[in-house]
Amino acid sequence: MGAAAVAVYVWGLLHVAGAVLAAEDGGTDSAPIRPCRTPGWQEWARDPGITGYTVSYLPVRFVCETGDGGRYATGHVPRYVNPAFFCLAVAAVALAGTAALDTERRARRRPAV
């Protein structure tokens, strides 16, 4: 479960890395940054304007910032990544705790030598 949680998290980070690479790619047609061009981005681009971006690691997402202090997350990270990571991480912790309790219980049952 832990390995699956890490795999899903890394999958989300790969999507964010792709968005960051696209955001940092300058040149023609680079303003506003391409990853922030989600449906309705024209409204943000006119007033107050898209001023930058940040990356959030928990939850994994690419966030665009506007000139008036607003923020919105883009759809670059698949919607299933964060819930799947959370569920798999909780399951991994629960299974590890259960295994530790079972090991302790078995150790107490053994007769002292």
Side-chain angles (χ1 to χ4, degrees):
M1 287 289 171
V6 169
V8 168
Y9 185 78
V10 169
W11 181 244
L13 288 179
L14 287 173
H15 283 85
V16 168
V20 168
L21 286 173
E24 294 297 324
D25 184 26
T28 304
D29 195 36
S30 64
I33 55 177
R34 279 178 247 140
C36 292
R37 297 178 192 177
T38 59
W41 71 271
Q42 291 89 352
E43 295 174 27
W44 292 101
R46 274 184 267 137
D47 187 35
I50 298 170
T51 59
Y53 69 91
T54 57
V55 173
S56 173
Y57 294 102
L58 279 177
V60 179
R61 61 186 177 169
F62 185 88
V63 180
C64 297
E65 299 172 341
T66 62
D68 64 354
R71 303 172 68 184
Y72 64 96
T74 65
H76 283 81
V77 177
R79 295 177 72 179
Y80 64 85
V81 168
N82 289 308
F85 169 70
F86 176 75
C87 291
L88 288 168
V90 168
V93 169
L95 288 173
T98 302
L101 288 173
D102 187 51
T103 301
E104 179 67 27
R105 190 174 8 162
R106 288 178 190 230
R108 289 185 184 190
R109 284 188 191 164
R110 289 188 194 144
V113 180

